[in-house]
Amino acid sequence: QVQLVESGGGLVQAGDSLRLSCAVSGRIFGSYGLGWFRQAPGKERERVAAIIWNSEYTKYSDSVKGRFTISRDNAKKMLYLDMDSLKPEDTAVYYCAAASLVTPRTVWDRRLYYYWGQGTQVTVSS
């Protein structure tokens, strides 16, 4: 069974930085991709960033490009999201998710993300 547990959320001010972490346990077969998603109140869950198994390809949503950085440490089974220049509109519950057998062409396909964490709240005050 695969489990993902996020941590690092909190209340920050606009312009601050924050690092989210996601611990992955269990066995994921094949070349698995990892991603960060977020959901604000009253809005649909949206993609934030994704990374393939060997970190050679990453993708970001336009709203976070240049401010957020996704990374992973396969030896530690950890996923990270470094968030800089935070804005109030970044306020949301952030989820990490895992997908098996993804490539650079498919890592952005949310339908492939089968395993999800419980989420961590990020609140950015103005």
Side-chain angles (χ1 to χ4, degrees), residues 1-5 22-35 51-54 72-74 76-79 96-103 112-117:
Q1 184 177 355
V2 177
Q3 287 188 320
L4 298 93
V5 179
C22 174
V24 182
S25 62
R27 191 174 180 185
I28 298 180
F29 293 97
S31 301
Y32 67 99
L34 294 171
I51 186 169
I52 64 171
W53 71 278
N54 61 3
R72 63 191 288 171
D73 185 332
N74 288 344
K76 296 181 179 179
K77 286 195 160 183
M78 293 293 296
L79 174 71
C96 64
S100 296
L101 302 174
V102 294
T103 67
L112 300 179
Y113 286 84
Y114 185 78
Y115 305 103
W116 292 83

Side-chain angles (χ1 to χ4, degrees), residues 52-80:
I52 64 171
W53 71 278
N54 61 3
S55 303
E56 289 187 358
Y57 181 83
T58 58
K59 189 173 176 67
Y60 299 89
S61 67
D62 289 341
S63 61
V64 307
K65 196 175 297 181
R67 299 188 297 121
F68 290 11
T69 303
I70 188 171
S71 61
R72 63 191 288 171
D73 185 332
N74 288 344
K76 296 181 179 179
K77 286 195 160 183
M78 293 293 296
L79 174 71
Y80 304 101

Side-chain angles (χ1 to χ4, degrees), residues 106-125:
T106 62
V107 71
W108 205 238
D109 186 346
R110 70 178 71 197
R111 297 171 298 177
L112 300 179
Y113 286 84
Y114 185 78
Y115 305 103
W116 292 83
Q118 82 290 347
T120 185
Q121 176 71 46
V122 173
T123 303
V124 184
S125 64

Side-chain angles (χ1 to χ4, degrees), residues 4-39:
L4 298 93
V5 179
E6 303 94 338
S7 61
L11 172 62
V12 297
Q13 293 186 334
D16 284 352
S17 298
L18 201 61
R19 169 175 258 206
L20 303 183
S21 300
C22 174
V24 182
S25 62
R27 191 174 180 185
I28 298 180
F29 293 97
S31 301
Y32 67 99
L34 294 171
W36 286 100
F37 297 73
R38 68 186 182 186
Q39 188 167 19

